[in-house]
Amino acid sequence: MSRFTYTARSPLGVVQGVQEAASASAVADILVSKGLTPLNIKQDGGGGAGSTAQVGGGGLSAPVNLGGLLGPKVTTMDLMIFTRQLHTLLKAGVPILRALSGLHDTATNPAMKQTLLDLRRSLESGVELSSSMALNPKVFDNFYVSMVKVGESSGRLDEVFLRLFQHLEFETFMRQQVKSALRYPTFVIIAMVGAIGVINVMVIPAFSGVFSALGAGLPLPTKILIATSNFTINHGWLLLLMAAAGFGAFRMWIKTPQGRMIWHRAILKMPLVGPIVSKAALARFSRAFALSLRSGVPLERALTGVAYTADNVFMSSRIEALRDHVTRGEPLAHAAAASGIFTPIVLQMIAIGEETGMVDDLLEEVGELYGNEVEYALKTLSQQIEPILIIFLGVVVLVLALGVFLPMWDLGSAAMHKQ
């Protein structure tokens, strides 16, 4: 047994530790079984580079970050094509090494070619496919690796790759829908911010000079506009600096475990966005959990794998707590109700599934239901945002109109009284 130092990713952040095992691939297996995604594995005192790990019994080494930090990266589409093609080849009876060799020859992305080459070399040295994938978390996440390991143990690797392809397809569709829904509001907000900036810097100073020359008293809206314009012109650089510093501090804060937990929990409570994020997370959880159970994954291990698919640290932590309750012998429905993140329909489906032994089928239906609801919500998101944008734009126009026309009205009234 050798000692290995490792760095791994958990739902709450990056963790480090020491593990005794026969090889680096065995350490990767242990970490995956604990719900961790290996990032770096190095033999303690072995003299190797920090970015490599000993795998297999033949002394061969495989890089942990197979995708590389520079140059082209493996995209989601590359992974989808690889998963679908590997399913087809394995279903046709092609040996795994020959399949990887053929996929390597036809791959166009250099990063994907290198990934396939490293996988094939690891397999040739006697390492399991799942263990080889676990050493490359930038391409194969914890859920993907767990499902491949299930396929290896159950002898249904081709079926698992088909289900993984369907899972990746659903995730890609969700991201595309979100981008499509946010495109129009983003353009409108950028245009509004630009227009307000032009008005502050160019339009209001011109009116300010006219009003000052007349020497008349100015109404409150006009004073506010002039003060805002003067501050923008004199201290605009400070505003930009503060905005950049605030954005940078926010990015650093949400990268911390505590900050990410608070932010992800706050997202679930936001109007418009919160219900969509919550339903999307439940749809992913239901689909992934059903896929794991249908593939023969034990309940506790299935919960560990699907915790990462929620894409929300707060919900992932609750699913991890749910797994702990189930491990202590509590019924799944009771533990799910205590977690506080599941809707009544999900709890009802889980309870009925436990009674009938059809948890996977019923959760698959829940995933379809929430998937359809999220799809509809995303398609109508821009329509829901439009009234908010119109109201905000109306308020801005009203303030500008009052600030510009009220002093003109006062001057006109004073001139009429003098006549």
Side-chain angles (χ1 to χ4, degrees), residues 172-195:
T172 303
F173 171 77
M174 295 277 289
R175 294 191 190 98
Q176 291 174 347
Q177 288 292 317
V178 171
K179 290 179 180 179
S180 176
L182 295 180
R183 188 176 295 119
Y184 170 73
T186 301
F187 287 156
V188 172
I189 292 174
I190 292 175
M192 290 174 59
V193 171

Side-chain angles (χ1 to χ4, degrees), residues 14 63 98 116 257 334 366:
V14 177
R98 184 177 172 186
L116 293 171
H334 182 270
V366 171

Side-chain angles (χ1 to χ4, degrees), residues 48 82 107 111 141 143 151 188 198 245-246 285 289-290 297 302 326:
F82 161 76
D141 59 19
F143 178 71
V188 172
V198 171
F285 166 80
F289 197 26
V297 184
V326 172

